[in-house]
Each structure stands twice: as C-alpha cells, then as structure tokens.
Amino acid sequence: MKCFVWSPFLYASETWTLNKNTEKRIEAMEMWIYRRMQRISWKEKVTNKKVLESVGLQRPELLLTIQRRKMKYYGHLRRHDTCSMQKRILEGKIDGRRGRGRRRQTWLGNIQDTSQMKMCEVCETTLDRRRWRTVTAHLGDGMAPS
C-alpha cells in the first residue's frame, strides 16, 4: 500500500493547502484503503477504531505524514537562500483589494495551525534546524512545541 498507493498520492503534498474538508477526505480515503485490505465491508458496521487496531495502528497516519512533509519543506525554504524565487513567492504580498467573502485558507496558515505556534515563533524556530526537527518529530504526539 505504501509503495503503490501512498507514493503517487503524496507526490507534491508539501505544497497543498489543506482545509477541514480536504483533511476529512484524506482520512476517509485512508480508512477505505485499510478496509479494502482487510476485506471489511461497510455493511459489517465495523468502527474505524477496530479497523485501525486490525491493521496495527493507533490513528490514521496519512494526514500526519502530509503535515510533517509540509513542515520540513517550510523549514527548508526558510533556511534556504534569501533571494530564492520560492521564498519570495511564499512570503510575498499581492497589491490591490481583497475579494468579498471569507478569507481562503493559506499555506502559511496551515503551517501555523500545524505547529500551534505564532508565525513569528515559527519563523524564528525554522532557522534553528535542531529545534525545528524536534517540532516536526512531535507533531502527532500532542506535545506542545518548545
């Protein structure tokens, strides 16, 4: 499964902007794959918790993998050359007026939500590679970032 399904699915996932709907769909797809592997029909009314136990997992890990990849990629971009095009695009602002309606979820907003830190703290932490690695390593643990 990780070879034939996850590899193409995770291609360029570092660049995705995730919202709640997308996250739910990713988790649903992962659970669907686990059910297909175990040959559990939706008619059998088996809970997701039981399916995860039968696969040997405590929680779905695909979304966590995407979040870790995004965090690592952001750390790489922040430490990279100051004049790089990627960094300019990432941190750039667009002139003009904003359209009507709710603001869209941004990629940097995803990084801030995932790290549970303010953006100024995130920017400062990414410059220290060792600290950033500990933040990304403890993403799904529930531990507060230091």
Side-chain angles (χ1 to χ4, degrees):
M1 176 189 74
K2 288 187 178 182
C3 177
F4 293 112
V5 178
W6 281 26
S7 295
F9 180 77
L10 290 174
Y11 184 74
S13 63
E14 300 89 3
T15 61
W16 297 351
T17 300
L18 299 173
N19 56 26
K20 293 293 179 191
N21 186 33
T22 310
E23 289 177 1
K24 284 174 62 176
R25 292 178 71 166
I26 289 170
E27 285 193 5
M29 186 207 69
E30 183 179 4
M31 293 306 301
W32 180 80
I33 290 170
Y34 292 148
R35 286 175 186 276
R36 294 289 297 175
M37 284 175 33
Q38 298 291 318
R39 295 188 178 164
I40 299 172
S41 171
W42 63 272
K43 295 176 186 177
E44 295 178 31
K45 308 281 188 197
V46 179
T47 64
N48 287 345
K49 190 173 182 179
K50 297 271 187 191
V51 173
L52 287 171
E53 286 175 5
S54 68
V55 176
L57 297 173
Q58 293 177 348
R59 66 178 82 105
E61 58 186 26
L62 188 57
L63 187 60
L64 192 62
T65 302
I66 292 171
Q67 290 171 338
R68 280 197 177 119
R69 283 178 151 206
K70 284 179 72 164
M71 298 287 279
K72 287 178 183 179
Y73 183 61
Y74 180 67
H76 170 73
L77 286 179
R78 288 287 302 161
R79 288 186 300 272
H80 199 255
D81 183 21
T82 57
C83 298
S84 74
M85 180 69 84
Q86 293 170 329
K87 194 170 184 179
R88 283 185 184 178
I89 291 171
L90 182 68
E91 296 172 350
K93 300 288 181 192
I94 299 172
D95 292 334
R97 293 184 53 181
R98 189 176 68 81
R100 290 175 45 183
R102 180 188 300 191
R103 289 183 180 227
R104 290 194 173 165
Q105 181 71 29
T106 62
W107 192 82
L108 286 175
N110 279 163
I111 297 296
Q112 187 176 358
D113 293 343
T114 303
S115 66
Q116 298 174 348
M117 301 165 81
K118 293 181 180 173
M119 205 61 211
C120 58
E121 293 177 68
V122 172
C123 292
E124 185 181 310
T125 307
T126 55
L127 298 177
D128 182 6
R129 188 183 301 247
R130 188 169 290 147
R131 254 179 80 193
W132 190 245
R133 282 186 179 162
T134 58
V135 168
T136 57
H138 295 291
L139 269 183
D141 300 347
M143 292 178 56
S146 57

